[in-house]
Amino acid sequence: MRVEALCKRFGGLIATDEVTFDVQSGELHAVIGPNGAGKTTLINQICGLIAPDAGRIIFAGTDITAMPAHARAALGLARSFQITSILPEFSVLENVALAVQARSGTSFRFFGRVDAEEALNAPALAALAEAGLESRAGVAARHLSHGERRALEVAIALALKPRLLLLDEPMAGAGHEETERLIVMLSRLKGRFPMVLVEHDMRAVFALADRISVLLYGRILASGTPELVRNHPQVIAAYLGTGME
């Protein structure tokens, strides 16, 4: 995927200002920056929830800038959200099986026994295994811990058979042990498909990222390897006191 000169303004506020970066095959590209830097607005433009004012987005050789969100999802753009978005009264398995159902294009049968459908059940269980949640398949999603809910979101995204995975702060609200489990899970997934990771947890970013782009006031301040970003004078100055060093 390549993002070229992406711009978005909300009145006098510039959310993204000529943002350009690319994500290579199999790469985990992290986007970091302080609150209000424009990170979630950028992700929303990539997945189609917000239309940019200028610039373009190229995905797998196709210009998707004007495509609606569902068309981008059909091409293989899958996204986890900053705030968990699961069906709390459905079981863990049912949450993922519904994603399989959506991908297959079959009709939703909310009053049927989705867990009895082997065509949905088998790939859903496979996605749960990749997310480390197979033992929780029969549990209502509302009973999961916060970290498990984040892992369930990733499992739902995996069930959509992504060609690129957008991860919007998957560690948000997770404790130390849960963060470590999420890092291990994402490490296992690295290389299967490209990923864009928006994250505040620098421990996770530097453990996972192949490249990092730093967003500040809607513009890319620096982009490169973790080592380059860690030692970039302007990045150090911008994050002074945040523990990024």
Side-chain angles (χ1 to χ4, degrees):
M1 182 185 72
R2 180 165 177 79
V3 173
E4 297 180 350
L6 213 61
C7 297
K8 185 65 186 179
R9 290 169 173 79
F10 299 100
L13 175 66
I14 302 174
T16 53
D17 188 6
E18 299 283 333
V19 171
T20 296
F21 74 100
D22 60 26
V23 186
Q24 299 172 4
S25 178
E27 175 185 52
L28 194 151
H29 194 130
V31 178
I32 64 174
N35 290 329
K39 303 184 299 298
T40 295
T41 298
L42 173 62
I43 291 295
N44 284 339
Q45 289 175 89
I46 293 172
C47 72
L49 294 181
I50 295 176
D53 297 322
R56 63 178 190 157
I57 304 162
I58 309 297
F59 177 58
T62 300
D63 189 333
I64 64 169
T65 312
M67 277 188 183
H70 70 271
R72 301 182 197 206
L75 285 178
L77 272 176
R79 185 228 178 124
S80 76
F81 286 82
Q82 186 176 18
I83 300 171
T84 54
S85 55
I86 59 175
L87 298 170
E89 300 306 319
F90 282 56
S91 74
V92 169
L93 178 60
E94 286 169 336
N95 269 271
V96 183
L98 286 170
V100 176
Q101 191 175 44
R103 176 175 54 81
S104 68
T106 57
S107 61
F108 288 91
R109 296 187 297 157
F110 287 106
F111 300 103
R113 289 272 303 176
V114 72
D115 60 348
E117 298 284 349
E118 183 59 24
L120 305 179
N121 196 35
L125 283 170
L128 286 173
E130 290 184 291
L133 290 174
E134 64 227 273
S135 66
R136 307 286 275 163
V139 175
R142 61 187 170 87
H143 293 310
L144 297 180
S145 69
H146 183 78
E148 288 174 329
R149 292 186 184 200
R150 304 319 301 245
L152 175 56
E153 275 213 329
V154 174
I156 290 169
L158 292 175
L160 297 173
K161 298 294 183 186
R163 297 173 69 189
L164 187 145
L165 183 57
L166 303 169
L167 299 163
D168 192 0
E169 298 194 25
M171 317 298 172
H176 179 80
E177 290 185 7
E178 290 183 321
T179 295
E180 290 299 327
R181 285 195 290 270
L182 289 166
I183 290 172
V184 170
M185 177 190 66
L186 293 177
S187 295
R188 290 199 307 264
L189 296 176
K190 272 188 66 174
R192 282 184 43 189
F193 38 74
M195 291 184 264
V196 176
L197 171 68
V198 172
E199 186 52 61
H200 279 292
D201 190 313
M202 292 300 103
R203 181 167 41 110
V205 167
F206 283 100
L208 291 166
D210 298 302
R211 281 193 297 160
I212 301 171
S213 290
V214 185
L215 201 60
L216 187 66
Y217 302 122
R219 296 185 68 89
I220 297 289
L221 175 64
S223 188
T225 64
E227 192 63 23
L228 182 151
V229 168
R230 189 193 298 272
N231 295 300
H232 195 288
Q234 289 177 285
V235 173
I236 294 171
Y239 282 89
L240 186 64
T242 65
M244 191 168 176
E245 298 172 271

